[in-house]
Amino acid sequence: MVLLAFLCFLALAVTVAFLDWRRGVVFMLVCAPLQDVVRKLTPGNPVVLTMSIVAIYFMIIFTARRVLKQELVDFSRRFGGVYRAALLVMVFVVLAAFTGIVTFGLGLWKVPALSLFIYTAPIPAIVLGYAYAQREEQIATFFRFYAIITAVALIGTPLEFWKVQWNALGMVGLPQGFIRHLPGLQIRLLSGFYRAPDIMGWHAAMLTIIGITLALRGRVIRAMWPWALLAGWGFFNCILSGRRKAVYMVAAFALVFVWRYIRRLTVAQAIAFALVGMTMLLVVNNLSSKEESNVYTRGTITSRAEVIERLEGGVVETVEQFGFMGAGLGTATQGVRHLLGTDQNVGWQEAGLGKLTIELGVPGLIAVAFAFFVMMRALLLMSGYPDEEGSSQLMRCALFGIFAACVANFLASAQAYSDAGLTIVTAFLLGNLLATAALHDRLTRREAEPAQVAGVGQLVAAAAAN
């Protein structure tokens, strides 16, 4: 019954996306937590349900194909360096796909094919985000939709913490839970309604970040405090996920945002920051003061050596084991074990750089690093632009902070990087950020259109009079 209801919802979402691709984006956000719940409630936990969001995504791309083609031309003209660097990366991704076929054999061609999809799926999402943002308020509306949906979905985390018995809660395939062992600590990782702690932690961190952003956009306290509370709710779930990377994702956003925006911080925005900070302190104090939950706050502490080791991701060991060209696509991609029929992948890499090294090889890793450098240079310039009509520096800096936080999270978690939903949303928000460079031109163009129509109308009237 649950599966049938979900399939009906999925059919409705695909239909809506066919009629209006912008509304399809909202349905895609709703599908993300639902597909994990339905998978856990369906006998056998079919892994294909995790890709349900892709059906909506494909329909969005099909419906918006003409718009995407037009916007891609504008994108390549405005961001030529980024466009060319991305094409270079794609060359190495395709080469890595052939390497993957050599590694697994033609009989298992689906393994590198799945990995190839995960690498290429974000590309249309960037252009979608670029086309979606015609006004800054549309980005804020997207934030509100995401915040409401995710805030409701995160209710499952405290339910799991309180040990509510329900198959919709907890990790897929591990109803008994998973214990993470740290020196002197044993932490029960929580997933809530999501399929894994890394996925839930990412969404909780994103909710926190969006709550901070929307609180900063509020001009009076009554418009700030609801979003500050929502940020606190997200941070509460970040800690309960048991994944330090979720907490540090929020920290990465805060550092980057403050670095780029502190000189323009107004008194109202400083108050908003204070409200968010107080809310987070209350969350930490509440969890730390209780015996059953203080293990989660203690578990967020890490050392510099651990951070460096996690971000490095075993690049040197990967090259020593698999060689300069790596082992090809699919060797470290989460989920391909279902196609291999084993419990382990070829690669052991859990962090982003190690994953890129084994799958793309050192040349591909260098190409990715170059593309990242080109992208960061463009984003640094954009985040330094002052306010202009139709576009604020606050939103640009917030989106830049989100991108930096997601990159930091993906470097630490190959599972998050391999999730289609997370990469699509991240790429979509990156497209929103790049679109902020065009918002002023789009606003000017829209204002000019009525004048052009009026001019044509005057010509028609004059012709009729004659």
Side-chain angles (χ1 to χ4, degrees):
M1 181 63 72
V2 173
L3 179 59
L4 179 61
F6 176 72
L7 291 177
C8 291
F9 164 80
L10 190 61
L12 173 64
V14 171
T15 303
V16 171
F18 176 73
L19 298 174
D20 185 349
W21 69 270
R22 293 178 182 276
R23 295 184 186 275
V25 171
V26 177
F27 275 84
M28 192 168 61
L29 294 180
V30 177
C31 182
L34 285 182
Q35 65 183 15
D36 288 348
V37 171
V38 174
R39 180 183 174 188
K40 285 185 278 189
L41 292 176
T42 303
N45 305 135
V47 67
V48 68
L49 288 174
T50 306
M51 303 297 286
S52 300
I53 194 174
V54 175
I56 308 173
Y57 180 54
F58 279 164
M59 183 54 71
I60 291 172
I61 294 174
F62 175 78
T63 305
R65 61 192 184 280
R66 292 187 179 86
V67 175
L68 294 181
K69 185 177 180 180
Q70 295 171 357
E71 295 295 341
L72 183 60
V73 173
D74 181 73
F75 179 92
S76 61
R77 176 183 59 82
R78 198 179 296 269
F79 299 101
V82 174
Y83 182 76
R84 289 188 291 272
L87 289 179
L88 177 64
V89 172
M90 284 301 103
V91 170
F92 287 99
V93 169
V94 173
L95 290 175
F98 286 106
T99 305
I101 292 175
V102 173
T103 299
F104 294 103
L106 282 174
L108 292 173
W109 63 269
K110 292 181 181 179
V111 174
L114 174 61
S115 185
L116 179 64
F117 166 75
I118 292 173
Y119 274 95
T120 55
I123 297 175
I126 295 175
V127 187
L128 272 173
Y130 188 79
Y132 181 90
Q134 298 294 313
R135 303 184 306 276
E136 183 172 303
E137 187 56 35
Q138 288 178 313
I139 303 175
T141 300
F142 177 85
F143 279 177
R144 295 187 193 102
F145 276 125
Y146 178 87
I148 293 170
I149 293 165
T150 306
V152 173
L154 289 176
I155 293 174
T157 309
L159 291 179
E160 185 185 1
F161 174 74
W162 292 324
K163 299 183 179 179
V164 173
Q165 297 300 312
W166 189 16
N167 291 338
L169 302 174
M171 294 179 65
V172 173
L174 286 174
Q176 71 277 12
F178 183 79
I179 304 297
R180 182 170 176 236
H181 297 275
L182 293 174
L185 297 174
Q186 289 185 339
I187 303 174
R188 183 168 64 101
L189 302 185
L190 304 179
S191 306
F193 289 133
Y194 293 93
R195 65 185 176 89
D198 280 31
I199 309 302
M200 188 277 285
W202 188 93
H203 283 287
M206 186 62 69
L207 176 63
T208 307
I209 291 168
I210 287 176
I212 295 171
T213 303
L214 294 177
L216 289 170
R217 291 186 87 243
R219 298 181 180 179
V220 293
I221 293 179
R222 67 174 178 272
M224 298 173 183
W225 71 262
W227 298 114
L229 290 179
L230 207 64
W233 169 241
F235 195 65
F236 173 79
N237 284 274
C238 283
I239 297 175
L240 283 187
S241 71
R243 307 304 286 171
R244 291 178 291 192
K245 63 196 72 170
V247 176
Y248 293 124
M249 182 176 167
V250 177
F253 165 80
L255 287 173
V256 172
F257 178 81
V258 170
W259 168 46
R260 300 305 295 167
Y261 193 72
I262 190 169
R263 294 181 181 179
R264 292 190 50 93
L265 204 65
T266 65
V267 174
Q269 290 165 349
I271 293 173
F273 250 128
L275 284 173
V276 172
M278 289 172 57
T279 304
M280 291 184 177
L281 285 175
L282 288 173
V283 167
V284 173
N285 181 67
N286 181 59
L287 291 173
S288 300
S289 62
K290 298 178 180 178
E291 183 179 355
E292 65 272 19
S293 60
N294 65 12
V295 65
Y296 289 97
T297 55
R298 291 160 58 196
T300 60
I301 300 172
T302 187
S303 66
R304 182 184 302 177
E306 287 178 304
V307 172
I308 293 174
E309 180 182 359
R310 191 67 177 178
L311 293 179
E312 190 271 338
V315 172
V316 176
E317 293 86 349
T318 299
V319 174
E320 291 176 350
Q321 183 177 356
F322 296 98
F324 188 73
M325 296 303 295
L329 295 190
T331 50
T333 299
Q334 294 285 330
V336 298
R337 61 186 178 85
H338 298 285
L339 298 175
L340 294 172
T342 63
D343 292 332
Q344 293 183 339
N345 294 343
V346 173
W348 43 263
Q349 291 76 4
E350 294 184 1
L353 286 180
K355 170 184 165 63
L356 290 174
T357 305
I358 187 176
E359 294 197 327
L360 301 185
V362 175
L365 181 64
I366 294 173
V368 171
F370 173 71
F372 180 73
F373 169 78
V374 174
M375 176 70 75
M376 288 299 291
R377 185 174 61 177
L379 299 185
L380 282 170
L381 289 172
M382 289 176 56
S383 62
Y385 290 163
D387 293 350
E388 59 182 7
E389 188 177 5
S391 178
S392 70
Q393 188 180 7
L394 170 64
M395 184 60 76
R396 285 193 293 274
C397 290
L399 287 167
F400 181 38
I402 289 173
F403 175 71
C406 289
V407 169
N409 185 279
F410 290 159
L411 285 175
S413 174
Q415 183 179 31
Y417 179 76
S418 298
D419 185 87
L422 302 193
T423 54
I424 288 171
V425 172
T426 301
F428 182 84
L429 292 175
L430 175 59
N432 287 169
L433 172 55
L434 294 170
T436 60
L439 291 182
H440 179 71
D441 292 347
R442 290 171 178 175
L443 177 64
T444 304
R445 192 183 310 129
R446 286 196 302 270
E447 291 176 346
E449 285 174 357
Q452 293 174 357
V453 172
V456 172
Q458 291 171 1
L459 290 174
V460 172
N466 293 330

